[in-house]
């Protein structure tokens, strides 16, 4: 699992990275809120571990930003030396899924990561639903208002990635890496054509509660209007 770790203490971060790496995870480490925000806005992690006290930011505000700009549902583990009830409640209310108090213990941290990781895995096998659109990930079938919609394998993967990452800007390079499994340059028209077909087939239009926009020279953003309310 790809984990983004935001921790300004290099010693603590090194220990955590060792634990996570030995458990089979890939970890990217950031010491400032700014670096974390800049990176995960482009390369969304499967799980984020966020510290409270940062040299340039507040972990609570980073969690709120992550929920609004990167992922509404991606697992977030909040880490802090503060263990008071009000601190835990504040983090969970901001959007964190779990809370661990420092100093961390190896087995407890890995158990919490495994528990949050199961959410990622279950999403891959379950149903992604948003408004009238539903994608059955296990059977790789799509439906609109309950009626089956025929998608090619590539169109299905594009639709799933857009829905899982709705409300954030997805760069074309990220789509290429996650859907086409390549970092090589493809014709822009190839990506645009697949996104256009997904828009048409699943009716990702304002009248159905969606806004799917191409951001010039960057990528795409799928918004579900109800998410803004």
């Amino acid at each position: 699992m790809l984990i983004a770790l935001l921790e300004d203490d290099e010693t603590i971060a090194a220990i955590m990275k060792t634990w996570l790496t030995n458990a089979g995870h890939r970890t990217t480490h950031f010491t400032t809120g700014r670096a974390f925000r800049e990176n995960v806005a482009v390369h969304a992690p499967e799980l984020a571990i966020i510290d409270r006290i940062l040299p340039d930011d507040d972990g609570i505000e980073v969690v709120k930003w992550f929920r609004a700009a990167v992922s509404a549902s991606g697992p977030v583990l909040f880490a802090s030396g503060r263990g008071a009830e009000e601190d835990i409640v504040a983090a969970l209310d901001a959007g964190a899924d779990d809370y661990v108090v420092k100093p961390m213990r190896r087995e407890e941290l890995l158990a919490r990561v495994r528990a949050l990781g199961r959410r990622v895995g279950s999403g891959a096998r379950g149903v992604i639903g948003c408004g009238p659109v539903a994608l059955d990930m296990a059977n790789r079938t799509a439906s609109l208002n309950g009626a089956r919609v025929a998608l090619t394998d590539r169109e299905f993967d594009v639709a799933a990635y857009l829905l899982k990452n709705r409300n954030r800007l997805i760069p074309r390079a990220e789509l290429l890496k996650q859907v086409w499994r390549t970092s090589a340059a493809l014709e822009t028209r190839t990506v645009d054509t697949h996104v256009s077909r997904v828009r048409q087939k699943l009716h990702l239009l304002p009248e159905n509660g969606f806004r799917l926009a191409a951001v010039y020279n960057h990528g795409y953003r799928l918004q579900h209007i109800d998410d803004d309310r």
Side-chain angles (χ1 to χ4, degrees):
M1 183 161 54
L2 176 60
I3 299 174
L5 171 62
L6 176 55
E7 168 60 65
D8 69 311
D9 188 309
E10 297 278 4
T11 301
I12 293 176
I15 293 171
M16 293 176 66
K17 286 179 66 177
T18 298
W19 291 348
L20 294 167
T21 299
N22 290 342
H25 303 290
R26 292 175 295 137
T27 306
T28 53
H29 171 226
F30 308 95
T31 58
T32 66
R34 178 179 179 179
F36 176 87
R37 292 176 191 242
E38 290 177 348
N39 184 273
V40 302
V42 178
H43 306 289
E46 294 172 275
L47 184 149
I49 301 177
I50 298 175
D51 185 25
R52 174 64 191 265
I53 305 300
L54 301 165
D56 67 335
D57 217 328
D58 184 313
I60 295 289
E61 296 306 316
V62 175
V63 172
K64 291 178 180 178
W65 170 85
F66 185 88
R67 284 284 173 249
V70 179
S71 175
S73 59
V76 173
L77 175 60
F78 200 82
S80 176
R82 300 179 180 180
E85 181 179 17
E86 58 266 28
D87 293 311
I88 297 174
V89 169
L92 297 176
D93 283 347
D97 297 285
D98 199 358
Y99 193 105
V100 62
V101 178
K102 298 178 181 178
M104 283 175 279
R105 295 170 291 188
R106 179 181 182 276
E107 293 306 319
E108 179 187 3
L109 172 66
L110 295 179
R112 291 180 184 276
V113 167
R114 286 195 299 271
L116 292 172
R118 286 193 288 271
R119 288 185 44 192
V120 177
S122 64
R125 296 189 297 272
V127 175
I128 300 175
C130 185
V133 174
L135 301 181
D136 184 329
M137 301 302 290
N139 297 306
R140 293 182 63 81
T141 57
S143 62
L144 176 66
N145 291 316
R148 180 73 69 88
V149 176
L151 298 179
T152 67
D153 283 344
R154 191 77 75 190
E155 289 167 356
F156 184 91
D157 290 339
V158 169
Y161 202 76
L162 289 172
L163 286 170
K164 285 191 290 187
N165 293 277
R166 65 183 186 271
N167 300 322
R168 79 174 182 89
L169 175 63
I170 304 173
R172 282 188 177 87
E174 182 177 335
L175 270 177
L176 285 172
K177 180 179 179 181
Q178 298 298 330
V179 175
W180 275 265
R181 302 296 179 187
T182 181
S183 59
L186 286 180
E187 289 289 338
T188 300
R189 184 174 178 81
T190 300
V191 182
D192 291 342
T193 297
H194 279 80
V195 171
S196 178
R197 288 174 181 166
V198 167
R199 178 194 284 114
Q200 294 170 9
K201 290 184 176 183
L202 294 179
H203 293 187
L204 301 179
L205 305 168
E207 52 264 36
N208 283 325
F210 293 100
R211 287 192 292 265
L212 177 53
V215 181
Y216 184 68
N217 278 343
H218 286 85
Y220 306 90
R221 179 183 283 112
L222 174 66
Q223 293 175 285
H224 188 236
I225 296 171
D226 284 347
D227 292 344
D228 298 333
R229 296 173 181 171

